[in-house]
Amino acid sequence: MHPEPVDVENPFQSDMYGNILNIDKNVISLEEEDPIKLREFESRILSGDKIEAKDWMPSLYRKQLIRMIEQHAHSEIIGALPEGTWITRAPGFRRKLALAAKVQDEVGHAQLLYSAAETLGKSRVEMTNDLLSGKSKYSNVFNYPAKTWADVAVIGFLIDGAAIVNQLANSKGSYAPYCRALERICYEESFHLKQGHDNFVYLATGTQQQRDMLQDAVNRWWPHVLTFFGPPEKLSKNSEILMRWKVKMDSNENMRQRFISQYVPKIFEVGITLPDPNLKYNQESGLWEYTEPNWDEFFEVISGNGPCNKERLAVRWWAEDHGGWVRKAISGNIF
Ligand code: FAQ
């Protein structure tokens, strides 16, 4: 039985900007916004200016940013879990140290991102509640199991690689607190990528058993890696407004193409294949052709019905349950 969601009056609720709002109720359409303020806001964005937390912004910009940054923060926390289960079983002391440090970094990224989202008026407690209740999403890829040590190599190389493609682009975006967090995160992700690449190449150039294990992990993860960037345009309901406001700096498909161009050659270079007979570079269009991932499965997974959704949230509930006394003790409210 799950405990009640934490109390939103909890003293750890952020009020550092004094603007805790009922975000959903306060969202108005663009037509209802003050047209002069809206025009000024959009021309600032167009000129490459950054928006700070206390600047005027349309309520929809605020809502969209909270949704996206919060989802990103949850992804870092939940993303630590598949790899985290391998810390105790890492092959050797150095691999164990590197993995433990990487997993800690991911949790630190969540901390940075929750802080960035808090600047927009949603408290950490509300975000935690929304993760626990299943209301908020997190990256679909972390709802699949890390079955072998090779999965850790694939996550470190390909998922971190995908994350860098997305985050490097978006760190040039319009909302300053998010961009500052992303810049810092990208430095650390680049190191994770080196760790993942080293692990990947080591297995790819190892014994037949190691190569087979890696190939199996790549076969299982490849379709999910492609979905990491989100659905194609026709299914992407948020992209248009987010690109107009330079929160997302490119479309989901362009980010996916960029990733494929950078990483497919690196995978082939070490003799690993990809489980897609249609994957090829089209010289004429300058784009990669590939088998469309199963978007029905993707939407099922992000609706809470993936292979590991329940298991992942159960860990968060456990942490909530067992960490409550620490929050109470720090707040002085121990009874
Ligand atoms: N997973 O309209 P769009 C990491 C949802 S960081 C789950 O295109 P949007 C580090 C979307 O929310 C992990 N849901 O959505 C690490 C929307 O539903 P909603 C993640 C997804 O927001 C590495 C619906 O589909 N990175 O991995 C996904 O414009 C290794 C329609 O889609 C970020 O969060 C998905 N993949 O574009 C950690 C970066 N894609 O909310 C540990 C910031 C879409 O309207 C180990 N986020 N949906 O009900 C973004 O750039 C964007 O949010 C996208 C999605 C590109 C992910």
Side-chain angles (χ1 to χ4, degrees):
M1 178 83 173
H2 290 148
E4 284 299 304
V6 273
D7 180 2
V8 289
E9 295 304 323
N10 184 301
F12 285 91
Q13 173 177 0
S14 166
D15 61 357
M16 70 180 148
Y17 290 86
N19 58 356
I20 303 298
L21 306 166
N22 188 336
I23 311 290
D24 287 330
K25 281 200 183 130
N26 286 320
V27 174
I28 55 175
S29 70
L30 286 188
E31 292 71 39
E32 292 170 286
E33 295 284 3
D34 180 330
I36 298 174
K37 285 184 175 163
L38 183 61
R39 209 173 316 121
E40 278 170 6
F41 170 83
E42 294 206 313
S43 65
R44 280 186 70 187
I45 294 209
L46 209 59
S47 69
D49 210 0
K50 300 265 188 210
I51 306 299
E52 290 289 347
K54 286 183 174 169
D55 294 347
W56 186 89
M57 61 185 81
S59 59
L60 189 58
Y61 178 81
R62 183 185 297 276
K63 185 186 174 189
Q64 276 284 357
L65 271 171
I66 291 175
R67 181 192 65 81
M68 203 174 111
I69 304 173
E70 176 183 358
Q71 184 172 306
H72 189 171
H74 295 329
S75 304
E76 300 279 358
I77 286 272
I78 300 286
L81 300 178
E83 288 173 290
T85 56
W86 280 94
I87 294 174
T88 53
R89 295 169 287 167
F93 183 59
R94 284 176 202 284
R95 292 277 180 216
K96 190 189 287 284
L97 275 182
L99 183 60
K102 189 225 188 231
V103 166
Q104 276 180 339
D105 281 353
E106 305 295 2
V107 176
H109 296 170
Q111 173 70 19
L112 287 170
L113 291 162
Y114 283 127
S115 300
E118 278 179 321
T119 64
L120 292 153
K122 183 163 180 179
S123 73
R124 173 81 173 254
V125 173
E126 287 173 289
M127 290 187 264
T128 304
N129 283 347
D130 286 349
L131 172 64
L132 292 171
S133 72
K135 185 178 168 200
S136 290
K137 295 188 170 70
Y138 56 84
S139 186
N140 66 316
V141 294
F142 301 122
N143 287 312
Y144 293 91
K147 288 185 177 170
T148 68
W149 173 250
D151 291 51
V152 173
V154 172
I155 295 171
F157 183 36
L158 299 183
I159 299 291
D160 279 272
I164 291 176
V165 167
N166 168 291
Q167 293 166 27
L168 210 54
N170 290 347
S171 70
K172 311 284 183 297
S174 64
Y175 187 57
Y178 186 41
C179 296
R180 286 192 284 267
L182 287 181
E183 270 176 30
R184 162 96 186 260
I185 290 171
C186 282
Y187 285 126
E188 293 183 355
E189 294 288 20
S190 306
F191 207 72
H192 299 168
L193 182 67
K194 283 192 199 308
Q195 186 253 166
H197 184 243
D198 179 69
N199 203 355
F200 195 93
V201 173
Y202 186 84
L203 294 177
T205 55
T207 63
Q208 188 60 43
Q209 202 180 359
Q210 285 170 318
R211 281 199 298 280
D212 291 346
M213 183 170 70
L214 182 63
Q215 184 65 63
D216 172 63
V218 169
N219 292 349
R220 281 182 287 108
W221 279 87
W222 181 250
H224 311 319
V225 173
L226 291 184
T227 60
F228 179 90
F229 297 93
E233 209 171 320
K234 60 181 185 306
L235 300 171
S236 170
K237 58 182 170 179
N238 305 294
S239 280
E240 193 184 340
I241 193 74
L242 287 176
M243 287 201 292
R244 167 169 154 190
W245 285 337
K246 294 190 185 169
V247 174
K248 278 168 81 165
M249 298 302 279
D250 215 336
S251 68
N252 298 352
E253 184 54 29
N254 284 349
M255 297 266 192
R256 191 166 17 251
Q257 286 285 334
R258 204 171 301 161
F259 168 80
I260 296 175
S261 311
Q262 287 176 26
Y263 285 83
V264 165
K266 291 186 183 39
I267 295 168
F268 288 164
E269 196 178 24
V270 292
I272 293 296
T273 60
L274 288 167
D276 182 357
N278 300 319
L279 183 73
K280 66 167 190 300
Y281 184 68
N282 183 325
Q283 295 285 354
E284 264 172 46
S285 66
L287 296 172
W288 284 84
E289 291 168 5
Y290 56 86
T291 304
E292 202 60 48
N294 183 339
W295 293 109
D296 290 336
E297 175 185 330
F298 167 84
F299 282 109
E300 266 299 297
V301 171
I302 66 172
S303 309
N305 302 317
C308 296
N309 298 57
K310 289 189 179 56
E311 185 185 328
R312 300 290 182 240
L313 281 188
V315 177
R316 294 314 308 150
W317 274 105
W318 186 92
E320 203 53 38
D321 236 357
H322 290 75
W325 70 270
V326 179
R327 285 189 299 278
K328 280 188 186 158
I330 294 172
S331 71
N333 180 19
I334 48 176
F335 301 109

